[in-house]
Amino acid sequence: MRFDAGPLRADWLLFWAVCLSFFIGLSATPLIDLDEGAFTAATQEMFARGDFLATYLNGVPRYDKPILIYWLQAASAALFGFSEFALRLPSALMGLAWTLFAFGFARRLFDARTARHCALVTATAMGPALIARLAIADALLDACLAAAVFAQYLWLREGKTRDLYLAWAAMGFGFLAKGPVALLLPLGTLFLHCLTTRRLGDFIVFVTRGRALLLWAAIALPWYLAVTWTNGPGFVENFFLRHNVGRFSGAMGSYHAYGLFYYFPVALLVTLPYTGLLLAVIARWRRLWQDDFARYAIINFTLVFALFSLSANKLPHYLLYGSAALFVLLGRELRSTRSPWLLLPALVMFVSALFVPDLLEALHPRANPYYQTMLVDLDAHFDLAYRLPLLAATLLVAVMMIDRRAAVPLKLAACGLIAVLCLALVFLPALGGVLQQPIKQAGLIARDIDAPLVMADINTPSFGVYAGRVVERRAPRAGDVVLTRSDRLDQLPPHTMLYRSKSVALARILP
């Protein structure tokens, strides 16, 4: 009994520490452009326009995403004011929700201690840990997808009607968060699982349950209908055709057109520091395929991996859409692991993070002119305050690899928590300071100036969030205060300089 009590208490302490870690450091990093800036500026414009039905960015309609994340950010900002903390809080809460969904699912499927391991892996793998700290729609979508794939598997396993309704409700909220992907991926996973287990009849029952479909429609469709009725078909046409079909096919331009094998290294990175567990699962996939839940997790992940590998536009966080069941599977595998070599990816991760500034310095001459100027003060941000915590983490992991007293699962989960804290309090603040601090400072200066605000030859929407105003993107006119690139100042009309730092300049156009 004494032997088990310590690890059990340590598991619980680590679990609650990880839950609290979602809210640490949310204000430590400036909003990162483009994505965070675009989402939060659009939320701010809802208040400026007094319109909480449709989204606008820089004064023009924004068709990129549905409404739910903007409503959540608006509610948080109404409670706490417009700050990095408030705007990122919905994502942090969704990261915590995803973790608790994983815990509850694994507890029903396995036992309480395995459930804690599954929750720890979910919360401290680098993919979820990062996405839950960004003020964008993806943490919300990930939480909805997790709830959907967990609930539909439990329905398949236990046949409880409430799980079927929960799955459809989660897909409804996901549809309101990011559109068709929230419906297609869970249903595609369920179909393939039922196909491979010869249970297609269960799939047909799942997709033809009338009340569940009505529940989905009641959650997902009213806003789409309302925005179409009020503003015309622009959002529906642009969102579904351009931002869904167009992104996949490349018809709207392949802005993130990476190769077919792009997601192989991404999978290794988003699962850090549990990459060793992922490789072990891949090596044993044939045996795991005989296990019903493992098969379901493999299908879910492989479907997303294959689908987005074929997409013309690729981003790393797309792989998280199929990772909820995979992280539970890794948590189950973590419970029985014994090899200290599974800590090696954590060691490599911390050592690599130590040398990020050196890598950026090496890339400096090859960057485009904008980023060349932004990177001139690397040493001011990647200083001893950056390197010492990472060096300490590296040494700690090395000691844990040698020391055999604590159990490997506990040590690996502790590495995950340390990595999360380093991400939130060390890495992101340093990177954000290099790339975003001048834009934040320009916005804070513009906040106190009574003049129209304009962005010219630059697209950094977080400027408007910090300025607290709607910022137009157009050619500047007399009397405007304009944010532009330092190397484009000679293209402005006669002006006076208000602020200049690295690649960013703020100027007032003379009357």
Side-chain angles (χ1 to χ4, degrees):
M1 292 295 292
R2 289 183 182 177
F3 180 81
D4 289 336
L8 283 171
R9 284 197 298 269
D11 277 2
W12 275 116
L13 288 173
L14 198 56
F15 173 80
W16 291 116
V18 164
C19 290
L20 290 173
S21 73
F22 281 107
F23 309 101
I24 293 174
L26 293 182
S27 298
T29 306
L31 295 170
I32 298 173
D33 291 306
L34 290 171
D35 285 356
E36 277 200 300
F39 275 96
T40 55
T43 297
Q44 180 181 261
E45 289 195 30
M46 296 175 82
F47 286 93
R49 296 174 59 87
D51 179 2
F52 291 88
L53 182 65
T55 52
Y56 288 75
L57 181 62
N58 305 130
V60 299
R62 185 169 200 248
Y63 299 127
D64 293 52
K65 301 294 181 292
I67 199 66
L68 187 54
I69 187 60
Y70 303 105
W71 281 347
L72 294 178
Q73 288 182 354
S76 182
L79 289 172
F80 303 108
F82 270 89
S83 65
E84 292 103 346
F85 174 84
L87 293 168
R88 288 174 175 143
L89 181 60
S91 291
L93 290 170
M94 290 303 104
L96 177 59
W98 183 1
T99 300
L100 296 178
F101 292 156
F103 176 82
F105 173 71
R107 187 163 189 172
R108 282 178 65 178
L109 214 58
F110 311 121
D111 57 71
R113 192 172 182 193
T114 302
R116 289 195 295 275
H117 284 89
C118 296
L120 289 170
V121 171
T122 299
T124 59
M126 282 298 95
L130 176 59
I131 212 69
R133 286 160 177 80
L134 298 178
I136 60 178
D138 288 88
L140 171 59
L141 174 64
D142 291 332
C144 293
L145 288 171
V149 298
F150 293 157
Q152 68 184 18
Y153 181 78
L154 289 171
W155 173 80
L156 202 62
R157 178 186 171 95
E158 301 173 5
K160 294 181 179 178
T161 303
R162 69 172 187 183
D163 291 321
L164 183 145
Y165 287 137
L166 284 172
W168 279 102
M171 287 187 281
F173 285 114
F175 199 86
L176 200 56
K178 213 167 181 183
V181 68
L183 189 66
L184 297 176
L185 295 180
L187 292 182
T189 299
L190 185 64
F191 171 76
L192 291 174
H193 184 73
C194 289
L195 180 66
T196 60
T197 55
R198 300 181 181 181
R199 298 180 62 179
L200 279 177
D202 290 326
F203 177 78
I204 293 171
V205 170
F206 186 87
V207 297
T208 56
R209 190 68 66 90
R211 291 183 180 178
L213 296 177
L214 287 174
L215 175 63
W216 176 86
I219 295 170
L221 297 184
W223 175 79
Y224 287 93
L225 296 173
V227 77
T228 301
W229 177 268
T230 305
N231 292 27
F235 177 87
V236 172
E237 290 177 355
N238 277 271
F239 175 66
F240 287 104
L241 296 180
R242 185 168 185 264
H243 289 283
N244 281 272
V245 177
R247 282 181 188 272
F248 187 85
S249 66
M252 66 173 287
S254 298
Y255 301 112
H256 307 286
Y258 306 111
L260 185 63
F261 302 104
Y262 172 75
Y263 284 111
F264 283 94
V266 170
L268 302 180
L269 293 175
V270 299
T271 54
L272 281 169
Y274 307 101
T275 308
L277 293 174
L278 175 66
L279 296 175
V281 164
I282 293 172
R284 297 190 298 112
W285 77 270
R286 289 182 184 276
R287 190 174 72 177
L288 288 170
W289 189 257
Q290 306 309 312
D291 176 274
D292 191 67
F293 169 68
R295 177 187 298 222
Y296 182 77
I298 291 169
I299 288 173
N300 184 223
F301 182 75
T302 305
L303 172 65
V304 172
F305 189 99
L307 188 65
F308 286 101
S309 291
L310 296 174
S311 174
N313 285 274
K314 300 176 176 68
L315 286 170
H317 59 264
Y318 292 168
L319 201 58
L320 296 178
Y321 301 166
S323 297
L326 176 69
F327 287 132
V328 171
L329 179 60
L330 296 184
R332 190 184 74 175
E333 297 298 300
L334 176 65
R335 171 73 189 272
S336 59
T337 190
R338 297 291 181 269
S339 173
W341 289 104
L342 287 173
L343 276 69
L344 184 60
L347 184 66
V348 172
M349 175 179 63
F350 287 121
V351 170
S352 300
L354 263 174
F355 289 99
V356 163
D358 304 283
L359 176 62
L360 292 175
E361 187 67 38
L363 294 175
H364 182 202
R366 305 175 192 174
N368 66 45
Y370 178 85
Y371 286 108
Q372 279 187 356
T373 307
M374 280 295 196
L375 296 175
V376 295
D377 64 342
L378 279 172
D379 290 342
H381 298 277
F382 291 92
D383 53 7
L384 281 178
Y386 174 86
R387 294 189 188 264
L388 286 179
L390 290 170
L391 180 60
T394 301
L395 295 175
L396 182 58
V397 175
V399 170
M400 285 194 288
M401 289 183 69
I402 298 169
D403 181 75
R404 300 301 175 94
R405 285 175 292 181
V408 171
L410 195 63
K411 290 192 286 188
L412 193 51
C415 287
L417 177 57
I418 295 168
V420 166
L421 296 177
C422 286
L423 177 74
L425 299 176
V426 179
F427 181 79
L428 289 177
L431 189 64
V434 169
L435 298 179
Q436 295 292 143
Q437 193 61 41
I439 296 158
K440 177 178 180 177
Q441 188 60 36
L444 294 175
I445 292 171
R447 178 181 287 268
D448 298 324
I449 300 174
D450 184 17
L453 301 183
V454 175
M455 285 190 292
D457 295 317
I458 195 170
N459 186 16
T460 54
S462 67
F463 169 69
V465 179
Y466 290 115
R469 311 255 290 284
V470 175
V471 179
E472 297 181 75
R473 291 186 67 198
R474 57 171 173 80
R477 298 191 285 260
D480 288 343
V481 170
V482 56
L483 182 77
T484 190
R485 290 172 49 158
S486 299
D487 59 359
R488 305 291 174 86
L489 283 169
D490 58 350
Q491 300 179 21
L492 292 181
H495 59 274
T496 58
M497 189 63 60
L498 300 175
Y499 171 76
R500 182 172 181 174
S501 177
K502 299 195 287 187
S503 296
V504 175
L506 187 69
R508 184 194 290 269
I509 307 301
L510 296 175

